[in-house]
Amino acid sequence: MSGNFREWMYKRIDEETRNFSEEFKTGVDQFMAFANSQPLAQSNGGKFFCPCSVCKNDKFLPGTRIWNHLYSRGFMPDYYVWYKHGEEINMDIGTSYVDISGNEEVGNVVEDRYVDMVNDAFRYNVSFDDNYHQDGSYQNVEEPVHNHSKKFYNLLEGAKNPLYDGCREGHSQLSLAARLMQNKADHNMSEKLVDSFCEILSEYLPEGNQSTGSHYETEKLMRNLGLPYHTIDVCINNCMIFWKDDEKENKCLFCGAKRWKPKDDRRRSKVPYSRMWYLPIGDRLKRMYQSEKTAAAMRWHAEHLSKEGEMCHPSDAAEWRYFQAHTKKNLIVY
């Protein structure tokens, strides 16, 4: 599927006649037929989410009202994949190779876990707003809304295209970037060390390879997966964080260490000596529910039904041996 897929969605008015274009009218009919054929609409009396530019899939309305909204308002931006209306976002992404580093074979098709990663990130989140720190003040700012469809296709391309011609199948730009960032987290690697590794990889891999050239490029690629974070300045000696009431302090209130590095001709904005990354728990939990592989585990306690007279407890609990030796009831181990 290309970036020009379903262009009719945003060609509502014919420039010559100033009326609704025939292409748009035909497309709306196709969309309505598709949405009405899905279990969501069929089990709710013909109601489904309205993807118009105002409702933006937030309102659950009858099909007739949605039809009117689309004609009067047009579609919401970048809604090329109808993920809210039953359409799978992973289009033609199956591969036919085996990757011993982490791919799984399903029937005769081997699915790439990094392609799955992209699909999990975008399946229900095509129009999310990411929160990152982009300015020199390191305050909480909201990144402008980008073309999320473009993000999806760029990431999907990074997950599918080989790292270089002739490399082991399944080794892609995204898989290498993910491994680099995982090692950075596991071994507390500095950004300079990641830069060095990226330079080495770019130099030693065959010419024309797709590896990222720096920590910045690697982080930028991974950032498109939609995992928001905030950065907060901290004392270089880890005494305190510059947050809330202390957000405007210029030195540590405990040890007196300066917060900002000296300015030079190369940078105009303030740069702290040290900072921390805050990962909002809500966004992490949402991502765990987005992945089919982890959502089932997240729902276990809500969906699991205990039987009368049976006790449930974790198999790795410290009390395990005591329970094993003394309880007379049947045990369910999970």
Side-chain angles (χ1 to χ4, degrees), residues 252-284:
C252 178
L253 300 179
F254 298 92
C255 69
K258 293 182 178 180
R259 174 180 179 179
W260 308 108
K261 293 181 179 180
K263 288 187 177 181
D264 57 31
D265 295 336
R266 292 178 297 176
R267 57 174 179 263
R268 298 179 181 178
S269 59
K270 293 181 177 180
V271 177
Y273 278 102
S274 184
R275 61 191 180 194
M276 61 170 281
W277 274 255
Y278 167 61
L279 312 175
I281 184 64
D283 295 296
R284 264 56 192 176

PDB file of all heavy atoms in Angstrom, residues 252-284:
ATOM      1  N   CYS A 252      21.537  23.272  42.692  1.00  0.00           N
ATOM      2  CA  CYS A 252      20.990  22.274  43.607  1.00  0.00           C
ATOM      3  C   CYS A 252      20.757  22.894  44.978  1.00  0.00           C
ATOM      4  O   CYS A 252      21.633  23.603  45.521  1.00  0.00           O
ATOM      5  CB  CYS A 252      21.947  21.093  43.719  1.00  0.00           C
ATOM      6  SG  CYS A 252      21.400  19.820  44.887  1.00  0.00           S
ATOM      7  N   LEU A 253      19.615  22.655  45.569  1.00  0.00           N
ATOM      8  CA  LEU A 253      19.274  23.199  46.878  1.00  0.00           C
ATOM      9  C   LEU A 253      19.980  22.468  48.013  1.00  0.00           C
ATOM     10  O   LEU A 253      19.937  22.928  49.163  1.00  0.00           O
ATOM     11  CB  LEU A 253      17.757  23.122  47.085  1.00  0.00           C
ATOM     12  CG  LEU A 253      16.893  23.895  46.076  1.00  0.00           C
ATOM     13  CD1 LEU A 253      15.416  23.699  46.383  1.00  0.00           C
ATOM     14  CD2 LEU A 253      17.255  25.376  46.082  1.00  0.00           C
ATOM     15  N   PHE A 254      20.641  21.352  47.699  1.00  0.00           N
ATOM     16  CA  PHE A 254      21.302  20.566  48.733  1.00  0.00           C
ATOM     17  C   PHE A 254      22.824  20.706  48.694  1.00  0.00           C
ATOM     18  O   PHE A 254      23.452  20.983  49.713  1.00  0.00           O
ATOM     19  CB  PHE A 254      20.910  19.095  48.613  1.00  0.00           C
ATOM     20  CG  PHE A 254      19.441  18.859  48.815  1.00  0.00           C
ATOM     21  CD1 PHE A 254      18.574  18.846  47.739  1.00  0.00           C
ATOM     22  CD2 PHE A 254      18.931  18.662  50.081  1.00  0.00           C
ATOM     23  CE1 PHE A 254      17.212  18.637  47.923  1.00  0.00           C
ATOM     24  CE2 PHE A 254      17.571  18.444  50.286  1.00  0.00           C
ATOM     25  CZ  PHE A 254      16.707  18.439  49.208  1.00  0.00           C
ATOM     26  N   CYS A 255      23.415  20.497  47.515  1.00  0.00           N
ATOM     27  CA  CYS A 255      24.876  20.557  47.424  1.00  0.00           C
ATOM     28  C   CYS A 255      25.381  21.815  46.739  1.00  0.00           C
ATOM     29  O   CYS A 255      26.585  22.070  46.722  1.00  0.00           O
ATOM     30  CB  CYS A 255      25.414  19.323  46.705  1.00  0.00           C
ATOM     31  SG  CYS A 255      25.020  19.265  44.936  1.00  0.00           S
ATOM     32  N   GLY A 256      24.476  22.588  46.154  1.00  0.00           N
ATOM     33  CA  GLY A 256      24.875  23.832  45.513  1.00  0.00           C
ATOM     34  C   GLY A 256      25.441  23.678  44.114  1.00  0.00           C
ATOM     35  O   GLY A 256      25.890  24.662  43.510  1.00  0.00           O
ATOM     36  N   ALA A 257      25.443  22.451  43.547  1.00  0.00           N
ATOM     37  CA  ALA A 257      25.994  22.240  42.203  1.00  0.00           C
ATOM     38  C   ALA A 257      25.161  22.991  41.164  1.00  0.00           C
ATOM     39  O   ALA A 257      23.940  23.072  41.270  1.00  0.00           O
ATOM     40  CB  ALA A 257      26.013  20.749  41.882  1.00  0.00           C
ATOM     41  N   LYS A 258      25.847  23.545  40.186  1.00  0.00           N
ATOM     42  CA  LYS A 258      25.162  24.299  39.137  1.00  0.00           C
ATOM     43  C   LYS A 258      24.323  23.368  38.255  1.00  0.00           C
ATOM     44  O   LYS A 258      24.698  22.222  38.014  1.00  0.00           O
ATOM     45  CB  LYS A 258      26.171  25.056  38.292  1.00  0.00           C
ATOM     46  CG  LYS A 258      26.897  26.168  39.045  1.00  0.00           C
ATOM     47  CD  LYS A 258      27.858  26.919  38.129  1.00  0.00           C
ATOM     48  CE  LYS A 258      28.551  28.053  38.884  1.00  0.00           C
ATOM     49  NZ  LYS A 258      29.493  28.807  38.003  1.00  0.00           N
ATOM     50  N   ARG A 259      23.212  23.887  37.811  1.00  0.00           N
ATOM     51  CA  ARG A 259      22.306  23.115  36.959  1.00  0.00           C
ATOM     52  C   ARG A 259      22.738  23.144  35.501  1.00  0.00           C
ATOM     53  O   ARG A 259      22.652  22.134  34.797  1.00  0.00           O
ATOM     54  CB  ARG A 259      20.894  23.665  37.092  1.00  0.00           C
ATOM     55  CG  ARG A 259      19.862  23.035  36.146  1.00  0.00           C
ATOM     56  CD  ARG A 259      18.503  23.674  36.368  1.00  0.00           C
ATOM     57  NE  ARG A 259      17.485  23.128  35.476  1.00  0.00           N
ATOM     58  CZ  ARG A 259      16.201  23.502  35.489  1.00  0.00           C
ATOM     59  NH1 ARG A 259      15.802  24.435  36.371  1.00  0.00           N
ATOM     60  NH2 ARG A 259      15.338  22.961  34.650  1.00  0.00           N
ATOM     61  N   TRP A 260      23.212  24.307  35.016  1.00  0.00           N
ATOM     62  CA  TRP A 260      23.452  24.491  33.586  1.00  0.00           C
ATOM     63  C   TRP A 260      24.933  24.439  33.235  1.00  0.00           C
ATOM     64  O   TRP A 260      25.783  24.906  34.006  1.00  0.00           O
ATOM     65  CB  TRP A 260      22.890  25.842  33.126  1.00  0.00           C
ATOM     66  CG  TRP A 260      21.466  26.077  33.506  1.00  0.00           C
ATOM     67  CD1 TRP A 260      20.997  26.931  34.458  1.00  0.00           C
ATOM     68  CD2 TRP A 260      20.321  25.446  32.941  1.00  0.00           C
ATOM     69  NE1 TRP A 260      19.633  26.880  34.534  1.00  0.00           N
ATOM     70  CE2 TRP A 260      19.180  25.974  33.610  1.00  0.00           C
ATOM     71  CE3 TRP A 260      20.128  24.481  31.950  1.00  0.00           C
ATOM     72  CZ2 TRP A 260      17.882  25.578  33.313  1.00  0.00           C
ATOM     73  CZ3 TRP A 260      18.848  24.079  31.645  1.00  0.00           C
ATOM     74  CH2 TRP A 260      17.739  24.622  32.312  1.00  0.00           C
ATOM     75  N   LYS A 261      25.214  23.897  32.090  1.00  0.00           N
ATOM     76  CA  LYS A 261      26.572  23.936  31.550  1.00  0.00           C
ATOM     77  C   LYS A 261      26.885  25.347  31.070  1.00  0.00           C
ATOM     78  O   LYS A 261      25.971  26.086  30.693  1.00  0.00           O
ATOM     79  CB  LYS A 261      26.704  22.960  30.375  1.00  0.00           C
ATOM     80  CG  LYS A 261      26.590  21.492  30.759  1.00  0.00           C
ATOM     81  CD  LYS A 261      26.765  20.602  29.526  1.00  0.00           C
ATOM     82  CE  LYS A 261      26.675  19.125  29.900  1.00  0.00           C
ATOM     83  NZ  LYS A 261      26.848  18.248  28.715  1.00  0.00           N
ATOM     84  N   PRO A 262      28.151  25.731  31.067  1.00  0.00           N
ATOM     85  CA  PRO A 262      28.511  27.071  30.569  1.00  0.00           C
ATOM     86  C   PRO A 262      28.124  27.219  29.101  1.00  0.00           C
ATOM     87  O   PRO A 262      28.248  26.272  28.316  1.00  0.00           O
ATOM     88  CB  PRO A 262      30.025  27.125  30.756  1.00  0.00           C
ATOM     89  CG  PRO A 262      30.330  26.072  31.774  1.00  0.00           C
ATOM     90  CD  PRO A 262      29.321  24.991  31.572  1.00  0.00           C
ATOM     91  N   LYS A 263      27.658  28.386  28.741  1.00  0.00           N
ATOM     92  CA  LYS A 263      27.299  28.642  27.344  1.00  0.00           C
ATOM     93  C   LYS A 263      28.548  28.826  26.509  1.00  0.00           C
ATOM     94  O   LYS A 263      29.588  29.268  26.988  1.00  0.00           O
ATOM     95  CB  LYS A 263      26.421  29.889  27.250  1.00  0.00           C
ATOM     96  CG  LYS A 263      25.012  29.705  27.778  1.00  0.00           C
ATOM     97  CD  LYS A 263      24.165  30.948  27.496  1.00  0.00           C
ATOM     98  CE  LYS A 263      22.733  30.748  27.965  1.00  0.00           C
ATOM     99  NZ  LYS A 263      21.889  31.942  27.689  1.00  0.00           N
ATOM    100  N   ASP A 264      28.441  28.484  25.239  1.00  0.00           N
ATOM    101  CA  ASP A 264      29.530  28.763  24.303  1.00  0.00           C
ATOM    102  C   ASP A 264      28.927  29.219  22.984  1.00  0.00           C
ATOM    103  O   ASP A 264      27.707  29.336  22.845  1.00  0.00           O
ATOM    104  CB  ASP A 264      30.436  27.539  24.114  1.00  0.00           C
ATOM    105  CG  ASP A 264      29.663  26.311  23.647  1.00  0.00           C
ATOM    106  OD1 ASP A 264      28.657  26.468  22.931  1.00  0.00           O
ATOM    107  OD2 ASP A 264      30.066  25.187  23.999  1.00  0.00           O
ATOM    108  N   ASP A 265      29.771  29.471  22.010  1.00  0.00           N
ATOM    109  CA  ASP A 265      29.307  30.021  20.724  1.00  0.00           C
ATOM    110  C   ASP A 265      28.499  29.008  19.931  1.00  0.00           C
ATOM    111  O   ASP A 265      27.755  29.372  19.025  1.00  0.00           O
ATOM    112  CB  ASP A 265      30.511  30.479  19.896  1.00  0.00           C
ATOM    113  CG  ASP A 265      31.244  31.637  20.560  1.00  0.00           C
ATOM    114  OD1 ASP A 265      30.581  32.350  21.357  1.00  0.00           O
ATOM    115  OD2 ASP A 265      32.446  31.803  20.304  1.00  0.00           O
ATOM    116  N   ARG A 266      28.636  27.713  20.254  1.00  0.00           N
ATOM    117  CA  ARG A 266      27.962  26.688  19.464  1.00  0.00           C
ATOM    118  C   ARG A 266      26.498  26.514  19.850  1.00  0.00           C
ATOM    119  O   ARG A 266      25.711  26.028  19.069  1.00  0.00           O
ATOM    120  CB  ARG A 266      28.694  25.356  19.614  1.00  0.00           C
ATOM    121  CG  ARG A 266      30.081  25.335  18.991  1.00  0.00           C
ATOM    122  CD  ARG A 266      30.753  24.003  19.232  1.00  0.00           C
ATOM    123  NE  ARG A 266      30.966  23.778  20.667  1.00  0.00           N
ATOM    124  CZ  ARG A 266      31.472  22.650  21.171  1.00  0.00           C
ATOM    125  NH1 ARG A 266      31.807  21.654  20.352  1.00  0.00           N
ATOM    126  NH2 ARG A 266      31.650  22.513  22.472  1.00  0.00           N
ATOM    127  N   ARG A 267      26.125  26.883  21.054  1.00  0.00           N
ATOM    128  CA  ARG A 267      24.731  26.716  21.470  1.00  0.00           C
ATOM    129  C   ARG A 267      24.252  27.957  22.224  1.00  0.00           C
ATOM    130  O   ARG A 267      24.981  28.541  23.027  1.00  0.00           O
ATOM    131  CB  ARG A 267      24.576  25.474  22.341  1.00  0.00           C
ATOM    132  CG  ARG A 267      25.440  25.440  23.582  1.00  0.00           C
ATOM    133  CD  ARG A 267      25.097  24.237  24.463  1.00  0.00           C
ATOM    134  NE  ARG A 267      25.935  24.181  25.640  1.00  0.00           N
ATOM    135  CZ  ARG A 267      27.022  23.439  25.749  1.00  0.00           C
ATOM    136  NH1 ARG A 267      27.391  22.680  24.735  1.00  0.00           N
ATOM    137  NH2 ARG A 267      27.740  23.445  26.860  1.00  0.00           N
ATOM    138  N   ARG A 268      23.035  28.329  21.952  1.00  0.00           N
ATOM    139  CA  ARG A 268      22.438  29.487  22.585  1.00  0.00           C
ATOM    140  C   ARG A 268      21.524  29.106  23.741  1.00  0.00           C
ATOM    141  O   ARG A 268      21.330  29.894  24.667  1.00  0.00           O
ATOM    142  CB  ARG A 268      21.630  30.286  21.557  1.00  0.00           C
ATOM    143  CG  ARG A 268      22.478  30.837  20.406  1.00  0.00           C
ATOM    144  CD  ARG A 268      21.596  31.587  19.427  1.00  0.00           C
ATOM    145  NE  ARG A 268      22.372  32.099  18.293  1.00  0.00           N
ATOM    146  CZ  ARG A 268      21.849  32.761  17.262  1.00  0.00           C
ATOM    147  NH1 ARG A 268      20.539  32.970  17.233  1.00  0.00           N
ATOM    148  NH2 ARG A 268      22.614  33.185  16.300  1.00  0.00           N
ATOM    149  N   SER A 269      20.929  27.935  23.678  1.00  0.00           N
ATOM    150  CA  SER A 269      19.992  27.518  24.716  1.00  0.00           C
ATOM    151  C   SER A 269      20.739  26.909  25.898  1.00  0.00           C
ATOM    152  O   SER A 269      21.888  26.464  25.784  1.00  0.00           O
ATOM    153  CB  SER A 269      18.992  26.519  24.159  1.00  0.00           C
ATOM    154  OG  SER A 269      19.665  25.388  23.640  1.00  0.00           O
ATOM    155  N   LYS A 270      20.062  26.870  27.031  1.00  0.00           N
ATOM    156  CA  LYS A 270      20.645  26.290  28.232  1.00  0.00           C
ATOM    157  C   LYS A 270      20.663  24.764  28.132  1.00  0.00           C
ATOM    158  O   LYS A 270      19.691  24.153  27.696  1.00  0.00           O
ATOM    159  CB  LYS A 270      19.839  26.712  29.457  1.00  0.00           C
ATOM    160  CG  LYS A 270      19.930  28.193  29.774  1.00  0.00           C
ATOM    161  CD  LYS A 270      19.124  28.515  31.034  1.00  0.00           C
ATOM    162  CE  LYS A 270      19.252  29.980  31.408  1.00  0.00           C
ATOM    163  NZ  LYS A 270      18.470  30.300  32.641  1.00  0.00           N
ATOM    164  N   VAL A 271      21.745  24.173  28.584  1.00  0.00           N
ATOM    165  CA  VAL A 271      21.885  22.715  28.572  1.00  0.00           C
ATOM    166  C   VAL A 271      22.253  22.259  29.973  1.00  0.00           C
ATOM    167  O   VAL A 271      23.234  22.727  30.546  1.00  0.00           O
ATOM    168  CB  VAL A 271      22.966  22.258  27.567  1.00  0.00           C
ATOM    169  CG1 VAL A 271      23.144  20.748  27.626  1.00  0.00           C
ATOM    170  CG2 VAL A 271      22.617  22.706  26.165  1.00  0.00           C
ATOM    171  N   PRO A 272      21.475  21.352  30.566  1.00  0.00           N
ATOM    172  CA  PRO A 272      21.767  20.916  31.938  1.00  0.00           C
ATOM    173  C   PRO A 272      22.938  19.933  31.976  1.00  0.00           C
ATOM    174  O   PRO A 272      23.253  19.279  30.988  1.00  0.00           O
ATOM    175  CB  PRO A 272      20.469  20.228  32.350  1.00  0.00           C
ATOM    176  CG  PRO A 272      19.934  19.688  31.070  1.00  0.00           C
ATOM    177  CD  PRO A 272      20.276  20.703  30.019  1.00  0.00           C
ATOM    178  N   TYR A 273      23.544  19.829  33.146  1.00  0.00           N
ATOM    179  CA  TYR A 273      24.616  18.852  33.319  1.00  0.00           C
ATOM    180  C   TYR A 273      24.062  17.429  33.283  1.00  0.00           C
ATOM    181  O   TYR A 273      24.716  16.502  32.800  1.00  0.00           O
ATOM    182  CB  TYR A 273      25.333  19.089  34.652  1.00  0.00           C
ATOM    183  CG  TYR A 273      26.383  20.177  34.597  1.00  0.00           C
ATOM    184  CD1 TYR A 273      26.119  21.439  35.107  1.00  0.00           C
ATOM    185  CD2 TYR A 273      27.636  19.940  34.027  1.00  0.00           C
ATOM    186  CE1 TYR A 273      27.085  22.441  35.069  1.00  0.00           C
ATOM    187  CE2 TYR A 273      28.611  20.931  33.972  1.00  0.00           C
ATOM    188  CZ  TYR A 273      28.328  22.188  34.494  1.00  0.00           C
ATOM    189  OH  TYR A 273      29.272  23.176  34.434  1.00  0.00           O
ATOM    190  N   SER A 274      22.873  17.255  33.814  1.00  0.00           N
ATOM    191  CA  SER A 274      22.312  15.913  33.876  1.00  0.00           C
ATOM    192  C   SER A 274      20.793  15.998  33.799  1.00  0.00           C
ATOM    193  O   SER A 274      20.195  17.015  34.164  1.00  0.00           O
ATOM    194  CB  SER A 274      22.731  15.220  35.182  1.00  0.00           C
ATOM    195  OG  SER A 274      22.267  13.889  35.230  1.00  0.00           O
ATOM    196  N   ARG A 275      20.171  14.932  33.313  1.00  0.00           N
ATOM    197  CA  ARG A 275      18.719  14.890  33.225  1.00  0.00           C
ATOM    198  C   ARG A 275      18.248  13.438  33.277  1.00  0.00           C
ATOM    199  O   ARG A 275      19.013  12.514  33.028  1.00  0.00           O
ATOM    200  CB  ARG A 275      18.219  15.565  31.945  1.00  0.00           C
ATOM    201  CG  ARG A 275      18.701  14.918  30.684  1.00  0.00           C
ATOM    202  CD  ARG A 275      18.407  15.776  29.477  1.00  0.00           C
ATOM    203  NE  ARG A 275      18.879  15.157  28.253  1.00  0.00           N
ATOM    204  CZ  ARG A 275      19.001  15.790  27.096  1.00  0.00           C
ATOM    205  NH1 ARG A 275      18.680  17.059  27.022  1.00  0.00           N
ATOM    206  NH2 ARG A 275      19.439  15.165  26.023  1.00  0.00           N
ATOM    207  N   MET A 276      16.993  13.264  33.595  1.00  0.00           N
ATOM    208  CA  MET A 276      16.392  11.938  33.673  1.00  0.00           C
ATOM    209  C   MET A 276      15.231  11.852  32.701  1.00  0.00           C
ATOM    210  O   MET A 276      14.681  12.866  32.285  1.00  0.00           O
ATOM    211  CB  MET A 276      15.890  11.650  35.092  1.00  0.00           C
ATOM    212  CG  MET A 276      14.826  12.620  35.580  1.00  0.00           C
ATOM    213  SD  MET A 276      14.042  12.126  37.125  1.00  0.00           S
ATOM    214  CE  MET A 276      12.891  10.906  36.510  1.00  0.00           C
ATOM    215  N   TRP A 277      14.887  10.633  32.335  1.00  0.00           N
ATOM    216  CA  TRP A 277      13.758  10.389  31.449  1.00  0.00           C
ATOM    217  C   TRP A 277      12.597   9.850  32.278  1.00  0.00           C
ATOM    218  O   TRP A 277      12.745   8.844  32.982  1.00  0.00           O
ATOM    219  CB  TRP A 277      14.133   9.383  30.361  1.00  0.00           C
ATOM    220  CG  TRP A 277      14.772  10.014  29.178  1.00  0.00           C
ATOM    221  CD1 TRP A 277      14.220  10.249  27.950  1.00  0.00           C
ATOM    222  CD2 TRP A 277      16.121  10.492  29.088  1.00  0.00           C
ATOM    223  NE1 TRP A 277      15.117  10.860  27.117  1.00  0.00           N
ATOM    224  CE2 TRP A 277      16.303  11.026  27.783  1.00  0.00           C
ATOM    225  CE3 TRP A 277      17.184  10.562  29.979  1.00  0.00           C
ATOM    226  CZ2 TRP A 277      17.496  11.578  27.362  1.00  0.00           C
ATOM    227  CZ3 TRP A 277      18.367  11.118  29.564  1.00  0.00           C
ATOM    228  CH2 TRP A 277      18.509  11.616  28.265  1.00  0.00           C
ATOM    229  N   TYR A 278      11.465  10.523  32.175  1.00  0.00           N
ATOM    230  CA  TYR A 278      10.254  10.067  32.853  1.00  0.00           C
ATOM    231  C   TYR A 278       9.361   9.375  31.831  1.00  0.00           C
ATOM    232  O   TYR A 278       9.005   9.967  30.807  1.00  0.00           O
ATOM    233  CB  TYR A 278       9.528  11.250  33.491  1.00  0.00           C
ATOM    234  CG  TYR A 278       8.122  10.919  33.945  1.00  0.00           C
ATOM    235  CD1 TYR A 278       7.891   9.938  34.913  1.00  0.00           C
ATOM    236  CD2 TYR A 278       7.026  11.571  33.397  1.00  0.00           C
ATOM    237  CE1 TYR A 278       6.615   9.621  35.318  1.00  0.00           C
ATOM    238  CE2 TYR A 278       5.739  11.263  33.801  1.00  0.00           C
ATOM    239  CZ  TYR A 278       5.541  10.291  34.767  1.00  0.00           C
ATOM    240  OH  TYR A 278       4.268   9.976  35.147  1.00  0.00           O
ATOM    241  N   LEU A 279       9.024   8.126  32.092  1.00  0.00           N
ATOM    242  CA  LEU A 279       8.223   7.326  31.176  1.00  0.00           C
ATOM    243  C   LEU A 279       6.821   7.190  31.760  1.00  0.00           C
ATOM    244  O   LEU A 279       6.626   6.432  32.716  1.00  0.00           O
ATOM    245  CB  LEU A 279       8.854   5.949  30.988  1.00  0.00           C
ATOM    246  CG  LEU A 279      10.359   5.945  30.689  1.00  0.00           C
ATOM    247  CD1 LEU A 279      10.882   4.518  30.641  1.00  0.00           C
ATOM    248  CD2 LEU A 279      10.641   6.669  29.393  1.00  0.00           C
ATOM    249  N   PRO A 280       5.829   7.892  31.233  1.00  0.00           N
ATOM    250  CA  PRO A 280       4.467   7.848  31.790  1.00  0.00           C
ATOM    251  C   PRO A 280       3.926   6.428  31.816  1.00  0.00           C
ATOM    252  O   PRO A 280       3.886   5.748  30.801  1.00  0.00           O
ATOM    253  CB  PRO A 280       3.659   8.737  30.829  1.00  0.00           C
ATOM    254  CG  PRO A 280       4.678   9.643  30.206  1.00  0.00           C
ATOM    255  CD  PRO A 280       5.922   8.824  30.088  1.00  0.00           C
ATOM    256  N   ILE A 281       3.497   5.997  33.002  1.00  0.00           N
ATOM    257  CA  ILE A 281       3.046   4.617  33.163  1.00  0.00           C
ATOM    258  C   ILE A 281       1.787   4.357  32.347  1.00  0.00           C
ATOM    259  O   ILE A 281       1.595   3.257  31.818  1.00  0.00           O
ATOM    260  CB  ILE A 281       2.805   4.297  34.659  1.00  0.00           C
ATOM    261  CG1 ILE A 281       2.434   2.827  34.844  1.00  0.00           C
ATOM    262  CG2 ILE A 281       1.737   5.208  35.235  1.00  0.00           C
ATOM    263  CD1 ILE A 281       3.508   1.855  34.457  1.00  0.00           C
ATOM    264  N   GLY A 282       0.921   5.369  32.222  1.00  0.00           N
ATOM    265  CA  GLY A 282      -0.318   5.176  31.473  1.00  0.00           C
ATOM    266  C   GLY A 282      -0.070   4.790  30.036  1.00  0.00           C
ATOM    267  O   GLY A 282      -0.729   3.892  29.486  1.00  0.00           O
ATOM    268  N   ASP A 283       0.901   5.446  29.396  1.00  0.00           N
ATOM    269  CA  ASP A 283       1.205   5.143  27.991  1.00  0.00           C
ATOM    270  C   ASP A 283       1.812   3.760  27.849  1.00  0.00           C
ATOM    271  O   ASP A 283       1.572   3.062  26.870  1.00  0.00           O
ATOM    272  CB  ASP A 283       2.151   6.203  27.424  1.00  0.00           C
ATOM    273  CG  ASP A 283       1.515   7.575  27.373  1.00  0.00           C
ATOM    274  OD1 ASP A 283       0.530   7.734  26.631  1.00  0.00           O
ATOM    275  OD2 ASP A 283       1.977   8.469  28.091  1.00  0.00           O
ATOM    276  N   ARG A 284       2.626   3.342  28.829  1.00  0.00           N
ATOM    277  CA  ARG A 284       3.207   2.003  28.777  1.00  0.00           C
ATOM    278  C   ARG A 284       2.123   0.930  28.919  1.00  0.00           C
ATOM    279  O   ARG A 284       2.139  -0.089  28.236  1.00  0.00           O
ATOM    280  CB  ARG A 284       4.229   1.835  29.903  1.00  0.00           C
ATOM    281  CG  ARG A 284       5.670   2.094  29.479  1.00  0.00           C
ATOM    282  CD  ARG A 284       5.846   3.438  28.891  1.00  0.00           C
ATOM    283  NE  ARG A 284       7.147   3.587  28.240  1.00  0.00           N
ATOM    284  CZ  ARG A 284       7.518   4.662  27.572  1.00  0.00           C
ATOM    285  NH1 ARG A 284       6.688   5.664  27.453  1.00  0.00           N
ATOM    286  NH2 ARG A 284       8.690   4.730  27.006  1.00  0.00           N
TER     287      ARG A 284
END
